[in-house]
């Protein structure tokens, strides 16, 4: 018998993805008696995923800060909730999610990835890490590269890239110099003909630099600093993690397989709209300091550039996707760099190479 009283039920915020459309929608989630009541987007009719039909990307632990859920009756759809209280409440209602025996159900099974996941489920269970971050680490390099290429293609649409031979060669020498501290990882760097002052790490060790950023920099050490910071995001798989969080795992895998009919053509926007967390920024900065020090490039450019852009953006209307929004906490970054002991350094590029990099867009008109 059901009780005639309506009890007050806590609501949680999450992101719901139907697995087909571009990005996940913000959703309100409640744990009602029959299951999870999900209301995606404003004005949408809520629906219920029954507890027994739920599967979690990884078994949920009580200390876990977030959970990625799917439901057997709605293949492809995912719900991501980043809330420890939600995870704990869910563990009480759907105890099968807390056992190692539960499996992640793919909309379109991909054998290689499934096998890797099965192997890693136990490891994630022990480590109790964020599922999106854990899953990102399991993606094979080729899939991450393919996802990154789609992101870069999507960002460059309608803008075009800059690559005079001299500019490319100079950029190659800078990348080579920074690669001494990336554990053999070779980052692929693309300059876009875009007036925006920003840089983005894309999946699969790819980085986008804007023409605006290169023109705003007062020297090669500043560009090196920004690149080292983006490499830090790449080494920590922040872009991969962000994409899985926002679009859901099945959509991310579909993108990586390149089998997407354009529904996610704007995937690059996902990365340009996100600001990383303070923890992610700190991780990227720790890598940046180490990379620059190993490469004997001064930290002043690194600290100075972010700080200068922050001062400039603070005084004006902050652009939707300005550097400050996507890579916040500049003051902390500058402080960090100032505290490090001094060491012998040489300019990141020779004068000739710096001139070549400044001219990498040739005489193309600047794209807004
Ligand atoms: Zn950043």
């Amino acid at each position: 018998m059901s009780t005639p009283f309506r009890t007050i039920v806590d609501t949680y915020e999450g992101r719901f993805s139907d697995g087909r459309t571009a990005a996940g929608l913000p959703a309100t989630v409640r744990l009602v008696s029959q299951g999870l009541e999900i209301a995606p987007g404003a004005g949408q009719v809520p629906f219920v995923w029954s507890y027994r039909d739920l599967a979690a990307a990884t078994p949920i632990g009580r200390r876990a800060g977030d959970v990625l859920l799917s439901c057997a009756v709605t293949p492809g759809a995912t719900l991501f909730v980043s809330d420890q209280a939600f995870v704990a409440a869910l563990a009480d209602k759907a105890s099968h999610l807390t056992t190692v025996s539960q499996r992640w159900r793919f909309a379109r099974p991909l054998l290689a990835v499934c096998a890797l996941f099965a192997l890693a489920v136990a490891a994630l269970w022990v480590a109790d890490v964020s599922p999106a971050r854990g899953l990102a680490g399991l993606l094979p390099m080729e899939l991450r590269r393919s996802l990154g290429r789609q992101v870069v293609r999507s960002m460059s649409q309608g803008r075009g890239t800059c690559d005079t031979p001299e500019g490319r060669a100079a950029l190659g020498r800078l990348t080579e110099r920074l690669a001494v501290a990336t554990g053999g990882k070779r980052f692929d760097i693309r300059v876009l003909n875009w007036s925006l002052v920003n840089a983005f790490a894309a999946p699969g060790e790819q980085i986008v630099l804007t023409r605006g950023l290169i023109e705003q920099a007062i020297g090669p050490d500043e560009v090196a600093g920004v690149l080292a910071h983006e490499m830090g995001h790449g080494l920590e798989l922040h872009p991969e993690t962000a994409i899985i969080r926002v679009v859901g795992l099945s959509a991310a895998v579909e993108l990586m397989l390149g089998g997407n009919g354009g529904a996610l053509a704007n995937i690059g926007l996902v990365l340009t709209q996100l600001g990383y967390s303070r923890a992610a920024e700190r991780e990227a900065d720790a890598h940046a300091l180490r990379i620059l020090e190993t490469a004997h490039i001064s930290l002043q450019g690194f600290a100075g550039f972010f700080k200068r852009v922050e001062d400039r953006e603070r005084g004006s209307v902050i652009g939707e996707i300005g550097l400050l929004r996507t890579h916040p906490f500049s003051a902390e970054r500058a402080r960090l760099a100032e505290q490090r002991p001094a060491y012998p350094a040489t300019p990141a590029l020779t004068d000739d190479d710096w001139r070549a990099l400044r001219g990498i867009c040739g005489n193309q008109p600047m794209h807004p």
Side-chain angles (χ1 to χ4, degrees):
M1 286 287 290
S2 63
T3 140
F5 303 107
R6 273 190 79 89
T7 45
I8 298 190
V9 183
D10 286 335
T11 61
Y12 303 90
E13 301 304 314
R15 276 197 97 80
F16 177 77
S17 159
D18 65 8
R20 291 188 303 274
T21 42
L25 288 172
T28 307
V29 188
R30 304 195 314 148
L31 292 114
V32 295
S33 58
Q34 322 84 293
L36 283 185
E37 185 191 85
I38 303 165
Q44 298 282 322
V45 183
F47 56 88
V48 174
W49 278 1
S50 92
Y51 292 121
R52 62 162 197 279
D53 292 335
L54 290 179
T58 58
I60 58 177
R62 287 185 178 279
R63 285 179 296 125
D66 50 27
V67 62
L68 184 63
L69 294 165
S70 66
C71 178
V73 297
T74 338
T78 53
L79 174 71
F80 178 73
V81 181
S82 180
D83 186 330
Q84 195 167 12
F86 173 82
V87 178
L90 180 66
D92 288 337
K93 301 264 190 194
S95 57
H96 69 282
L97 298 177
T98 64
T99 68
V100 184
S101 65
Q102 67 88 19
R103 284 182 303 123
W104 177 246
R105 298 172 189 123
F106 278 104
R108 281 166 209 164
L110 170 66
L111 286 179
V113 176
C114 285
L116 275 168
F117 282 12
L119 274 176
V121 159
L124 290 173
W125 170 240
V126 171
D128 215 4
V129 296
S130 138
R133 171 67 171 272
L135 293 173
L138 300 174
L139 300 170
M141 184 58 192
E142 253 326 295
L143 290 187
R144 296 199 286 116
R145 280 242 162 87
S146 155
L147 181 59
R149 276 194 293 271
Q150 303 217 37
V151 167
V152 174
R153 195 179 311 134
S154 147
M155 281 188 192
S156 54
Q157 238 157 35
R159 301 193 173 95
T161 51
C162 292
D163 56 355
T164 61
E166 300 77 19
R168 266 229 77 78
L171 192 56
R173 278 188 282 275
L174 179 54
T175 317
E176 197 70 17
R177 193 166 164 188
L178 296 172
V180 295
T182 56
K185 299 229 164 84
R186 288 260 176 278
F187 280 80
D188 184 12
I189 297 155
R190 196 72 61 85
V191 179
L192 297 189
N193 185 18
W194 191 358
S195 61
L196 179 79
V197 179
N198 213 335
F200 306 96
E205 278 113 51
Q206 295 172 71
I207 292 172
V208 166
L209 276 183
T210 63
R211 178 179 184 172
L213 184 137
I214 292 176
E215 293 187 358
Q216 189 70 35
I218 50 177
D221 288 6
E222 293 198 340
V223 175
V226 171
L227 276 179
H229 176 86
E230 297 305 327
M231 287 176 178
H233 280 305
L235 292 172
E236 291 291 336
L237 304 181
H238 292 155
E240 285 87 343
T241 306
I243 289 177
I244 291 175
R245 273 172 193 248
V246 174
V247 306
L249 179 64
S250 60
V253 169
E254 203 173 332
L255 265 174
M256 285 179 248
L257 295 174
N260 169 283
L264 292 175
N266 286 325
I267 186 67
L269 284 179
V270 169
L271 284 180
T272 59
Q273 295 298 319
L274 285 173
Y276 287 122
S277 68
R278 183 175 284 252
E281 285 304 308
R282 281 190 182 138
E283 286 176 337
D285 285 337
H287 281 291
L289 295 174
R290 187 180 52 78
I291 291 170
L292 293 168
E293 283 167 1
T294 312
H296 300 289
I297 295 171
S298 160
L299 299 179
Q300 281 180 358
F302 165 74
F305 186 78
F306 283 98
K307 195 76 195 48
R308 204 148 44 77
V309 172
E310 178 174 295
D311 291 344
R312 206 190 57 155
E313 288 190 359
R314 193 189 290 123
S316 64
V317 179
I318 294 171
E320 260 295 277
I321 48 180
L323 192 73
L324 181 56
R325 175 180 160 137
T326 50
H327 304 285
F329 318 115
S330 302
E332 184 178 315
R333 181 170 298 122
R335 238 183 350 262
L336 207 65
E338 279 155 18
Q339 286 162 2
R340 306 284 280 209
Y343 53 89
T346 54
L349 286 175
T350 63
D351 288 349
D352 282 350
D353 273 348
W354 174 233
R355 213 169 299 122
L357 182 56
R358 299 274 289 179
I360 195 167
C361 293
N363 39 29
Q364 300 182 64
M366 172 93 92
H367 198 283

PDB file of all heavy atoms in Angstrom, residues 229-230 233 276 280-281 284 306 326-328 333, ligand 1:
ATOM      1  N   HIS A 229      51.082  25.310 -20.157  1.00  0.00           N
ATOM      2  CA  HIS A 229      49.863  25.160 -19.350  1.00  0.00           C
ATOM      3  C   HIS A 229      48.857  24.253 -20.078  1.00  0.00           C
ATOM      4  O   HIS A 229      48.275  23.346 -19.486  1.00  0.00           O
ATOM      5  CB  HIS A 229      49.266  26.547 -19.090  1.00  0.00           C
ATOM      6  CG  HIS A 229      47.958  26.531 -18.357  1.00  0.00           C
ATOM      7  ND1 HIS A 229      47.865  26.492 -16.980  1.00  0.00           N
ATOM      8  CD2 HIS A 229      46.687  26.539 -18.817  1.00  0.00           C
ATOM      9  CE1 HIS A 229      46.583  26.483 -16.631  1.00  0.00           C
ATOM     10  NE2 HIS A 229      45.841  26.511 -17.734  1.00  0.00           N
ATOM     11  N   GLU A 230      48.683  24.475 -21.380  1.00  0.00           N
ATOM     12  CA  GLU A 230      47.750  23.634 -22.154  1.00  0.00           C
ATOM     13  C   GLU A 230      48.239  22.195 -22.217  1.00  0.00           C
ATOM     14  O   GLU A 230      47.447  21.257 -22.186  1.00  0.00           O
ATOM     15  CB  GLU A 230      47.568  24.182 -23.572  1.00  0.00           C
ATOM     16  CG  GLU A 230      46.944  25.567 -23.649  1.00  0.00           C
ATOM     17  CD  GLU A 230      45.616  25.671 -22.925  1.00  0.00           C
ATOM     18  OE1 GLU A 230      44.862  24.679 -22.902  1.00  0.00           O
ATOM     19  OE2 GLU A 230      45.340  26.730 -22.347  1.00  0.00           O
ATOM     20  N   HIS A 233      47.067  20.503 -19.197  1.00  0.00           N
ATOM     21  CA  HIS A 233      45.677  20.031 -19.303  1.00  0.00           C
ATOM     22  C   HIS A 233      45.632  18.740 -20.116  1.00  0.00           C
ATOM     23  O   HIS A 233      44.923  17.802 -19.784  1.00  0.00           O
ATOM     24  CB  HIS A 233      44.805  21.081 -20.009  1.00  0.00           C
ATOM     25  CG  HIS A 233      44.375  22.209 -19.114  1.00  0.00           C
ATOM     26  ND1 HIS A 233      43.715  22.023 -17.931  1.00  0.00           N
ATOM     27  CD2 HIS A 233      44.497  23.560 -19.262  1.00  0.00           C
ATOM     28  CE1 HIS A 233      43.442  23.197 -17.374  1.00  0.00           C
ATOM     29  NE2 HIS A 233      43.914  24.155 -18.160  1.00  0.00           N
ATOM     30  N   TYR A 276      37.719  25.359 -16.529  1.00  0.00           N
ATOM     31  CA  TYR A 276      38.165  24.236 -15.720  1.00  0.00           C
ATOM     32  C   TYR A 276      38.073  24.582 -14.244  1.00  0.00           C
ATOM     33  O   TYR A 276      38.081  25.749 -13.863  1.00  0.00           O
ATOM     34  CB  TYR A 276      39.602  23.861 -16.084  1.00  0.00           C
ATOM     35  CG  TYR A 276      39.734  23.181 -17.422  1.00  0.00           C
ATOM     36  CD1 TYR A 276      40.530  23.708 -18.419  1.00  0.00           C
ATOM     37  CD2 TYR A 276      39.067  21.984 -17.671  1.00  0.00           C
ATOM     38  CE1 TYR A 276      40.672  23.083 -19.641  1.00  0.00           C
ATOM     39  CE2 TYR A 276      39.201  21.345 -18.892  1.00  0.00           C
ATOM     40  CZ  TYR A 276      40.002  21.892 -19.879  1.00  0.00           C
ATOM     41  OH  TYR A 276      40.137  21.271 -21.079  1.00  0.00           O
ATOM     42  N   ALA A 280      41.733  21.468 -11.498  1.00  0.00           N
ATOM     43  CA  ALA A 280      42.291  21.177 -12.825  1.00  0.00           C
ATOM     44  C   ALA A 280      43.316  22.231 -13.216  1.00  0.00           C
ATOM     45  O   ALA A 280      44.372  21.928 -13.782  1.00  0.00           O
ATOM     46  CB  ALA A 280      41.165  21.109 -13.858  1.00  0.00           C
ATOM     47  N   GLU A 281      43.029  23.503 -12.897  1.00  0.00           N
ATOM     48  CA  GLU A 281      43.974  24.578 -13.219  1.00  0.00           C
ATOM     49  C   GLU A 281      45.281  24.382 -12.467  1.00  0.00           C
ATOM     50  O   GLU A 281      46.368  24.605 -12.997  1.00  0.00           O
ATOM     51  CB  GLU A 281      43.373  25.945 -12.882  1.00  0.00           C
ATOM     52  CG  GLU A 281      42.317  26.402 -13.865  1.00  0.00           C
ATOM     53  CD  GLU A 281      42.832  26.433 -15.289  1.00  0.00           C
ATOM     54  OE1 GLU A 281      43.882  27.039 -15.537  1.00  0.00           O
ATOM     55  OE2 GLU A 281      42.196  25.825 -16.165  1.00  0.00           O
ATOM     56  N   ALA A 284      47.280  21.666 -14.155  1.00  0.00           N
ATOM     57  CA  ALA A 284      47.896  22.155 -15.402  1.00  0.00           C
ATOM     58  C   ALA A 284      49.087  23.064 -15.085  1.00  0.00           C
ATOM     59  O   ALA A 284      50.134  22.994 -15.739  1.00  0.00           O
ATOM     60  CB  ALA A 284      46.854  22.895 -16.243  1.00  0.00           C
ATOM     61  N   PHE A 306      49.113  35.500 -18.357  1.00  0.00           N
ATOM     62  CA  PHE A 306      47.781  35.271 -17.787  1.00  0.00           C
ATOM     63  C   PHE A 306      47.340  36.482 -16.966  1.00  0.00           C
ATOM     64  O   PHE A 306      46.188  36.908 -17.013  1.00  0.00           O
ATOM     65  CB  PHE A 306      47.785  34.017 -16.916  1.00  0.00           C
ATOM     66  CG  PHE A 306      47.750  32.731 -17.702  1.00  0.00           C
ATOM     67  CD1 PHE A 306      48.905  32.016 -17.976  1.00  0.00           C
ATOM     68  CD2 PHE A 306      46.539  32.225 -18.169  1.00  0.00           C
ATOM     69  CE1 PHE A 306      48.870  30.823 -18.684  1.00  0.00           C
ATOM     70  CE2 PHE A 306      46.494  31.035 -18.893  1.00  0.00           C
ATOM     71  CZ  PHE A 306      47.665  30.333 -19.144  1.00  0.00           C
ATOM     72  N   THR A 326      38.082  30.482 -19.388  1.00  0.00           N
ATOM     73  CA  THR A 326      38.441  29.081 -19.583  1.00  0.00           C
ATOM     74  C   THR A 326      39.646  28.663 -18.747  1.00  0.00           C
ATOM     75  O   THR A 326      39.835  27.493 -18.492  1.00  0.00           O
ATOM     76  CB  THR A 326      38.707  28.777 -21.064  1.00  0.00           C
ATOM     77  OG1 THR A 326      39.603  29.744 -21.580  1.00  0.00           O
ATOM     78  CG2 THR A 326      37.430  28.803 -21.858  1.00  0.00           C
ATOM     79  N   HIS A 327      40.474  29.620 -18.338  1.00  0.00           N
ATOM     80  CA  HIS A 327      41.619  29.278 -17.477  1.00  0.00           C
ATOM     81  C   HIS A 327      41.692  30.276 -16.334  1.00  0.00           C
ATOM     82  O   HIS A 327      42.532  31.166 -16.323  1.00  0.00           O
ATOM     83  CB  HIS A 327      42.936  29.304 -18.259  1.00  0.00           C
ATOM     84  CG  HIS A 327      42.917  28.415 -19.453  1.00  0.00           C
ATOM     85  ND1 HIS A 327      43.020  27.044 -19.354  1.00  0.00           N
ATOM     86  CD2 HIS A 327      42.773  28.682 -20.768  1.00  0.00           C
ATOM     87  CE1 HIS A 327      42.955  26.517 -20.567  1.00  0.00           C
ATOM     88  NE2 HIS A 327      42.796  27.492 -21.437  1.00  0.00           N
ATOM     89  N   PRO A 328      40.775  30.155 -15.372  1.00  0.00           N
ATOM     90  CA  PRO A 328      40.709  31.152 -14.296  1.00  0.00           C
ATOM     91  C   PRO A 328      41.873  31.041 -13.315  1.00  0.00           C
ATOM     92  O   PRO A 328      42.758  30.218 -13.499  1.00  0.00           O
ATOM     93  CB  PRO A 328      39.379  30.822 -13.619  1.00  0.00           C
ATOM     94  CG  PRO A 328      39.094  29.408 -13.949  1.00  0.00           C
ATOM     95  CD  PRO A 328      39.777  29.114 -15.249  1.00  0.00           C
ATOM     96  N   ARG A 333      48.229  31.776 -10.068  1.00  0.00           N
ATOM     97  CA  ARG A 333      49.254  31.260 -10.982  1.00  0.00           C
ATOM     98  C   ARG A 333      50.510  32.131 -10.917  1.00  0.00           C
ATOM     99  O   ARG A 333      51.625  31.627 -10.833  1.00  0.00           O
ATOM    100  CB  ARG A 333      48.677  31.273 -12.397  1.00  0.00           C
ATOM    101  CG  ARG A 333      49.588  30.760 -13.468  1.00  0.00           C
ATOM    102  CD  ARG A 333      48.803  30.597 -14.766  1.00  0.00           C
ATOM    103  NE  ARG A 333      47.738  29.634 -14.599  1.00  0.00           N
ATOM    104  CZ  ARG A 333      46.446  29.876 -14.791  1.00  0.00           C
ATOM    105  NH1 ARG A 333      46.046  31.078 -15.177  1.00  0.00           N
ATOM    106  NH2 ARG A 333      45.554  28.949 -14.604  1.00  0.00           N
TER     107      ARG A 333
HETATM  108 ZN1  LIG B   1      43.837  26.146 -17.842  1.00  0.00          ZN
END
